[in-house]
Amino acid sequence: MTVPLQIERAKVYKAMVFWRSMGSSIIALLLAVGVVHAAIAPLEVGSEPSQEFTRHAEIFVDASGTLDAPAVAALTHEFRPVVEADLNRRYDDRVFWLRATLHNANVDKVERWLSVGHPRMESATLFQRTARGWHGVATGLKVPLNDKPVDAAGLAIPLTLEGGESSEILLRVQSRTALDLNAILWQPTVFLRSDDARQLMIGAGVGGSLIVAFISLSVFARLRQRTYLYFSL
């Protein structure tokens, strides 16, 4: 085999490798775009009593903790789909942003309450894009009781959607207590029933503990055995 022919075949081989690599990159890019589209598909607000919000959202971590809603909304490519690890309760005082689009396919206006995490979280702010810009409503331990949007023990924020309306939602969450990013859309009456049931369970637990403490103290006063004193603490 002549040297020029070997050189020519080497060039052809390099060209094939190059175009094969380019083809793989293009396919990967198209798949990535498809994943992004799937991740930001609107959440259809239906007649269900409650609907998962976080699993239909994307997430962004604001390491600086200084960004506002318009700045975060402009960071389109910084968001990623929520994964299971994001939903685990943990201690993390960074600022987390969740983004989703809600769509009301009904002709009538609907109201939903978005519950976030647990009652001991410090701050959760819901931003809804309107014709005048971003409108924010906050709740959490940092918000005075009289300023909370919903009179409930849990963190809940109301939002409304006109008939046929699609609305972009940003949820800002930060807490030095245990962080829980699980968020659920509720029908208001269903949420209140659920919240009342939870308060009843908490009250029953506290009441049971007080009864046990009272009985233990009574037995300690009678028998003077420290074991019963420890039970009352």
Side-chain angles (χ1 to χ4, degrees):
M1 183 180 296
T2 62
V3 174
L5 183 58
Q6 290 179 338
I7 296 175
E8 191 65 27
R9 287 187 175 181
K11 291 181 178 179
V12 172
Y13 177 75
K14 289 181 178 180
M16 290 175 60
V17 171
F18 172 77
W19 286 111
R20 183 179 299 174
S21 175
M22 287 293 293
S24 300
S25 300
I26 292 173
I27 292 174
L29 179 61
L30 291 175
L31 288 175
V33 172
V35 170
V36 171
H37 272 292
I40 61 174
L43 171 58
E44 298 291 338
V45 179
S47 58
E48 297 91 335
S50 63
Q51 294 177 276
E52 290 277 357
F53 176 87
T54 309
R55 296 182 186 275
H56 293 84
E58 293 178 304
I59 190 170
F60 164 69
V61 182
D62 177 13
S64 67
T66 59
L67 299 178
D68 57 8
V72 170
L75 301 176
T76 306
H77 301 293
E78 298 296 327
F79 282 84
R80 61 168 176 79
V82 173
V83 297
E84 194 67 30
D86 296 321
L87 304 180
N88 296 333
R89 185 175 292 194
R90 61 196 186 278
Y91 287 94
D92 191 336
D93 61 358
R94 293 179 297 174
V95 175
F96 291 83
W97 291 83
L98 297 174
R99 178 180 67 180
T101 300
L102 307 182
H103 177 243
N104 177 20
N106 302 310
V107 296
D108 299 323
K109 181 171 72 172
V110 298
E111 179 182 5
R112 292 292 182 269
W113 290 3
L114 183 66
S115 69
V116 187
H118 58 86
R120 301 297 299 172
M121 292 207 337
E122 285 190 318
S123 175
T125 307
L126 175 69
F127 294 93
Q128 186 172 8
R129 189 191 291 271
T130 66
R132 298 181 179 180
W134 290 95
H135 173 67
V137 180
T139 187
L141 290 180
K142 288 186 175 181
V143 179
L145 187 60
N146 293 335
D147 294 336
K148 290 188 176 181
V150 171
D151 184 13
L155 273 64
I157 307 173
L159 61 91
T160 57
L161 293 171
E162 298 293 337
E165 179 186 3
S166 291
S167 181
E168 184 179 355
I169 300 296
L170 290 174
L171 179 63
R172 183 188 187 276
V173 181
Q174 183 182 26
S175 184
R176 290 171 297 178
T177 61
L179 179 74
D180 188 345
L181 295 179
N182 287 279
I184 300 175
L185 276 177
W186 295 84
Q187 291 187 8
T189 54
V190 177
F191 173 83
L192 289 174
R193 287 199 298 267
S194 175
D195 193 66
D196 288 344
R198 180 170 57 180
Q199 290 304 305
L200 182 61
M201 292 179 61
I202 293 174
V206 172
S209 298
L210 291 175
I211 292 173
V212 171
F214 176 77
I215 293 175
S216 298
L217 283 174
S218 300
V219 175
F220 169 73
R222 185 181 183 88
L223 302 179
R224 296 298 177 179
Q225 294 184 10
R226 291 185 179 180
T227 302
Y228 295 102
L229 178 60
Y230 296 149
F231 282 151
S232 67
L233 299 178

